[in-house]
Amino acid sequence: MAGDRLVHFLRHGQYAPDATTGGPLTKVGKRQARRTAKRLCEYTTTCVYCSDLQRAKETAEIIARQLKVSVEMLPMLREIIPTRIPGRRVSLADRRNGRAKIDEAIARFLTRAPKSEDLIVVCHGNFIRALVCRIL
């Protein structure tokens, strides 16, 4: 019998951009993650998933530590650009890859769960916007 699944999609905390690692969280970003974890304590979270970029990983680790659950990094949750943006060149292959990641996330997190669970997914703003648009 299938269970209920509640999934919280969260954007990482504020970060200091860095070309190599994507950038670490700022003090504000760490505080945002701690406050978010406090709000999520009322749920019975079973796992925190996150992008493998530093800012998402740090946010997820802060939240998971407070909730006493594990973190699983998934490269499919990295930042994407699934559509054209005026003034920015994004190849068709990159846009298609972004849309494929959205479809993968829908299949992984938004299908019927085999058991009841609450999940947290820490990723990026464009990813969440594209996911919501795709669902709608």
Side-chain angles (χ1 to χ4, degrees):
M1 181 169 184
D4 294 327
R5 179 183 283 163
L6 178 62
V7 183
H8 301 271
F9 283 92
L10 307 175
R11 181 190 179 269
H12 55 78
Q14 183 189 62
Y15 69 105
D18 178 294
T20 309
T21 63
L25 292 181
T26 63
K27 287 181 183 179
V28 170
K30 290 175 183 178
R31 188 172 62 241
Q32 290 169 334
R34 287 191 301 272
R35 286 181 175 175
T36 300
K38 282 183 184 178
R39 294 297 304 252
L40 294 170
C41 282
E42 67 186 72
Y43 299 97
T44 54
T45 302
T46 53
C47 187
V48 177
Y49 295 91
C50 69
S51 159
D52 60 349
L53 295 179
Q54 184 177 2
R55 57 193 181 266
K57 183 179 176 236
E58 282 185 57
T59 302
E61 287 171 344
I62 292 168
I63 292 169
R65 190 170 30 255
Q66 279 190 248
L67 300 180
K68 296 177 176 57
V69 296
S70 63
V71 174
E72 184 176 334
M73 286 188 298
L74 299 173
M76 68 172 251
L77 295 171
R78 277 187 168 212
E79 184 66 279
I80 62 167
I81 300 177
T83 188
R84 285 186 169 155
I85 297 176
R88 185 160 181 194
R89 294 192 72 184
V90 181
S91 73
L92 180 58
D94 285 345
R95 294 193 314 259
R96 284 183 176 155
N97 185 23
R99 289 191 295 269
K101 287 180 180 183
I102 292 299
D103 289 340
E104 189 177 346
I106 289 170
R108 172 115 189 213
F109 299 113
L110 301 177
T111 57
R112 203 107 206 228
K115 61 182 171 93
S116 292
E117 60 185 354
D118 293 347
L119 305 175
I120 297 171
V121 179
V122 181
C123 52
H124 307 275
N126 285 335
F127 192 97
I128 294 168
R129 281 186 286 279
L131 179 68
V132 170
C133 288
R134 175 75 168 86
I135 291 168
L136 295 176

